[in-house]
C-alpha cells in the first residue's frame, strides 16, 4: 500500500483556505483531514456541516472528517449531506460504535473509528470487520502542534496486526505530532494514512512542505 498523506486543515489559514487546499492538492495529498470539535468531547470548537459543505465545493480530494464530538450518532446524516466522504468517530464518544459504523456505510460514506491514547487497540477486536479505517491518535485530541506520544508506535503495530489478520482492506491512520522527524517511523509501524497539520501548514508553504515530507517516504 502506498502511504497517503492527509493534511489537517486545522492548521491552515482559513482566510485563504481555497489557496491552501489547492496547494496541498497539487503537491500530492490524498485526503483533506477535517477536524470537527464540539467543545464537549474536546474543549475546542471548530466547525460544523456548513463549513464542511463549503470545503466540499472548494476541494477535489475526499474529505476525511475526524469527528471529535459527543454522540456522533446525532450528527452523521448532516455531515454526510454536507459532503463528508469518510467519517471517523471516537470509540470513547458513543455506546453504539458497531451500529454507527453500519449507519455511516449505509449513507454511502466510508466509516472509521478513532481511539485516544488511553484506549487499547484490543477494544477494536469486535469492530474491525465493520471498519473502513482505524485512527490511532498519537496525541490527546483537541489541538494541533502537540508532541507525539511514543506509545502510539506500539499501538500502530498492534492495529496493523489486527487489520492484516481480520480486514486487510481497512486503512490505518495516525494523527498528532507527526513531521519530518518521525513520519517514516509511523509508516514502518504500519500506518498507511498519515495526518499532519502544523508540519504542513505552519511554515507558510504547504505545498513545499508536503513535497518534502513525501520525499522522505
Ligand atoms: C488533533 C487533531 C489533529 C491535529 C494534528 O486533535 O485531530 O488532526 O490537527 O495536528 P499536528 O499534526 O500539528 O499534531
Ligand atoms: Zn484529526
Amino acid at each position: 500500500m502506498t502511504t497517503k498523506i492527509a493534511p489537517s486543515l486545522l492548521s491552515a489559514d482559513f482566510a485563504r483556505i481555497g489557496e491552501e487546499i489547492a496547494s496541498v492538492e497539487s503537491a500530492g495529498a490524498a485526503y483533506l483531514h477535517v477536524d470537527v470539535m464540539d467543545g464537549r468531547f474536546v474543549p475546542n470548537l471548530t466547525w460544523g456541516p456548513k463549513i464542511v459543505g463549503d470545503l466540499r465545493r472548494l476541494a477535489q480530494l475526499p474529505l476525511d472528517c475526524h469527528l471529535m464530538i459527543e454522540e456522533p450518532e446525532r450528527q452523521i446524516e448532516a455531515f454526510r449531506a454536507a459532503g463528508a466522504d469518510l467519517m471517523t468517530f471516537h470509540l470513547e464518544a458513543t455506546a453504539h460504535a458497531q451500529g454507527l459504523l453500519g449507519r455511516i456505510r449505509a449513507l454511502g460514506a466510508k466509516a472509521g473509528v478513532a481511539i485516544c491514547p488511553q484506549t487499547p487497540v484490543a477494544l477494536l477486536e469486535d469492530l474491525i470487520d465493520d471498519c473502513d479505517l482505524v485512527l490511532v491518535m498519537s496525541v490527546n485530541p483537541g489541538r494541533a502542534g502537540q508532541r507525539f506520544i511514543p506509545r502510539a508506535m506500539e499501538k500502530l503495530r498492534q492495529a496493523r496486526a489486527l487489520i492484516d489478520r481480520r480486514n486487510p482492506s481497512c486503512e490505518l491512520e495516525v494523527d498528532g505530532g507527526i513531521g519530518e522527524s518521525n513520519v517514516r517511523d509511523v509508516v514502518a509501524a504500519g500506518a498507511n494514512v498519515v495526518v499532519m497539520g502544523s508540519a504542513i501548514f505552519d511554515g507558510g508553504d504547504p505545498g513545499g512542505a508536503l513535497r518534502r515530507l513525501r520525499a522522505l517516504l
Side-chain angles (χ1 to χ4, degrees), residues 107-131:
L107 293 170
K110 301 253 185 180
V113 64
I115 54 172
C116 285
Q118 83 282 359
T119 301
V121 171
L123 292 183
L124 300 173
E125 284 269 347
D126 296 318
L127 292 173
I128 193 72
D129 301 334
D130 301 299
C131 291

Side-chain angles (χ1 to χ4, degrees), residues 91-152:
L91 184 57
E92 302 86 1
T94 176
H96 309 288
Q98 199 271 341
L100 188 50
L101 290 166
R103 279 180 52 201
I104 292 172
R105 284 174 156 182
L107 293 170
K110 301 253 185 180
V113 64
I115 54 172
C116 285
Q118 83 282 359
T119 301
V121 171
L123 292 183
L124 300 173
E125 284 269 347
D126 296 318
L127 292 173
I128 193 72
D129 301 334
D130 301 299
C131 291
D132 298 304
L133 179 142
V134 162
L135 169 54
V136 171
M137 289 303 298
S138 42
V139 298
N140 281 291
R143 59 191 166 81
Q146 302 181 76
R147 193 192 298 253
F148 184 89
I149 297 173
R151 166 79 188 148

Side-chain angles (χ1 to χ4, degrees), residues 3 9 18 27 32 82-83 107 110 125 143 153 210 212 216:
T3 305
L9 300 185
L32 297 175
L107 293 170
K110 301 253 185 180
E125 284 269 347
R143 59 191 166 81
M153 290 294 182
L210 179 45
R212 282 194 297 282
L216 292 172

Side-chain angles (χ1 to χ4, degrees), residues 17-101:
I17 193 62
E19 290 161 56
E20 299 274 74
I21 288 175
S23 86
V24 293
E25 287 191 331
S26 64
Y31 299 139
L32 297 175
H33 186 83
V34 179
D35 287 298
V36 177
M37 303 186 188
D38 67 351
R40 290 183 62 210
F41 182 72
V42 292
N44 199 359
L45 267 172
T46 54
W47 41 66
K50 165 68 168 73
I51 300 292
V52 171
D54 289 356
L55 294 172
R56 180 65 287 156
R57 289 200 308 281
L58 284 172
Q60 313 288 319
L61 289 173
L63 299 182
D64 164 26
C65 292
H66 177 193
L67 303 178
M68 285 163 275
I69 64 177
E70 294 287 356
E71 299 182 284
E73 55 274 15
R74 293 159 55 99
Q75 302 292 342
I76 53 168
E77 278 82 8
F79 281 104
R80 177 59 182 153
D85 298 284
L86 200 163
M87 285 185 276
T88 299
F89 62 87
H90 269 267
L91 184 57
E92 302 86 1
T94 176
H96 309 288
Q98 199 271 341
L100 188 50
L101 290 166

Side-chain angles (χ1 to χ4, degrees), residues 199-215:
I200 290 176
F201 290 103
D202 278 7
D205 174 20
L210 179 45
R211 283 192 190 87
R212 282 194 297 282
L213 288 158
R214 289 184 69 210

